[in-house]
Amino acid sequence: TVEARAVQNGGGLTLAVMLFGADGTRCYSAKVEMDARAHAPSRPAPSPGALTPWRDVIYDGAAMFHGPKFHAIQGLEGESEQGLVATLLGQRELGWLSAGHVTDTALLDGAVQLGVLWIRRRLGGSSLPTSLGAFLPYRDATGPVRAVLVGRAVGRERAVFDVTLLGDDGAAVRELRDLELHVLPGSTEHVARA
């Protein structure tokens, strides 16, 4: 069950949104700030530094458990200790229904998948997202797009990073800021570099 209630209706609508499980337990909560104004990126496109080629399988069936309809990562340009650069496919390329969607959800899922992939490489094991600081839509975006993941903090069991989706002109079209993923208990393994 999803519950949403207005907590502010001034310069833009703010909603408190909660997701409850079948037993009534609150599973997720978020504050959503709706704003009709067009946003512009407040910083230049990030860089993960010098990249080395990616030589590993992307969708391994374990940490990257996604089926073919969710294979949003088309290819990886490379990796570094600070991040990844990849090409992401959108819902049109993956064969999803796209009529009436404001946001290409396949691109957003692909951005999270990049985080799972990066954590698999850096920390070992499988992970899932636990929080998102902000989603910033700057202009319309459909796949394929270039995605740049840059880590902000890495611990033993979690990482926080930003993912910027870039248009054909190299400018940001979408950003996910302060995306946090945690390693699933019992899934940690040594991940050797190829």
Side-chain angles (χ1 to χ4, degrees), residues 66-147:
H66 312 77
K69 284 284 199 179
F70 286 84
H71 285 192
I73 302 172
Q74 181 182 36
L76 281 156
E77 289 179 33
E79 65 173 315
S80 72
E81 288 296 312
Q82 292 77 38
L84 293 168
V85 178
T87 300
L88 300 181
L89 300 177
Q91 56 197 27
R92 184 183 68 237
E93 293 83 17
L94 291 173
W96 297 13
L97 297 175
S98 60
H101 292 184
V102 174
T103 299
D104 189 323
T105 52
L107 290 178
L108 299 182
D109 191 66
V112 175
Q113 289 178 33
L114 282 179
V116 171
L117 197 60
W118 189 60
I119 287 178
R120 182 182 83 184
R121 178 67 91 195
R122 291 289 310 275
L123 303 178
S126 302
S127 62
L128 288 173
T130 51
S131 70
L132 173 64
F135 167 62
L136 303 168
Y138 300 125
R139 58 186 176 150
D140 289 343
T142 58
V145 300
R146 187 169 188 250

Side-chain angles (χ1 to χ4, degrees), residues 39-50:
H39 294 278
S42 60
R43 57 188 181 184
S47 170

Side-chain angles (χ1 to χ4, degrees), residues 6-190:
V7 292
Q8 178 183 337
N9 195 3
L13 178 63
T14 301
L15 301 172
V17 180
M18 289 173 276
L19 176 67
F20 296 93
D23 64 354
T25 303
R26 185 173 78 178
C27 301
Y28 298 98
S29 64
K31 180 175 83 170
V32 179
E33 297 175 358
M34 306 296 287
D35 193 342
R37 295 175 293 162
H39 294 278
S42 60
R43 57 188 181 184
S47 170
L51 299 174
T52 59
W54 181 271
R55 291 189 174 97
D56 204 358
V57 172
I58 295 174
Y59 294 99
D60 64 356
M64 296 295 288
F65 55 85
H66 312 77
K69 284 284 199 179
F70 286 84
H71 285 192
I73 302 172
Q74 181 182 36
L76 281 156
E77 289 179 33
E79 65 173 315
S80 72
E81 288 296 312
Q82 292 77 38
L84 293 168
V85 178
T87 300
L88 300 181
L89 300 177
Q91 56 197 27
R92 184 183 68 237
E93 293 83 17
L94 291 173
W96 297 13
L97 297 175
S98 60
H101 292 184
V102 174
T103 299
D104 189 323
T105 52
L107 290 178
L108 299 182
D109 191 66
V112 175
Q113 289 178 33
L114 282 179
V116 171
L117 197 60
W118 189 60
I119 287 178
R120 182 182 83 184
R121 178 67 91 195
R122 291 289 310 275
L123 303 178
S126 302
S127 62
L128 288 173
T130 51
S131 70
L132 173 64
F135 167 62
L136 303 168
Y138 300 125
R139 58 186 176 150
D140 289 343
T142 58
V145 300
R146 187 169 188 250
V148 178
L149 178 147
V150 176
R152 296 170 54 94
V154 179
R156 285 184 29 177
E157 299 173 353
R158 71 184 260 294
V160 179
F161 49 88
D162 298 335
V163 181
T164 304
L165 306 181
L166 305 170
D168 291 339
D169 60 358
V173 293
R174 299 273 193 266
E175 271 190 280
L176 288 85
R177 289 192 186 165
D178 295 322
L179 182 56
E180 181 177 34
L181 275 75
H182 276 81
V183 174
L184 296 172
S187 72
T188 305
E189 59 189 54
H190 177 70

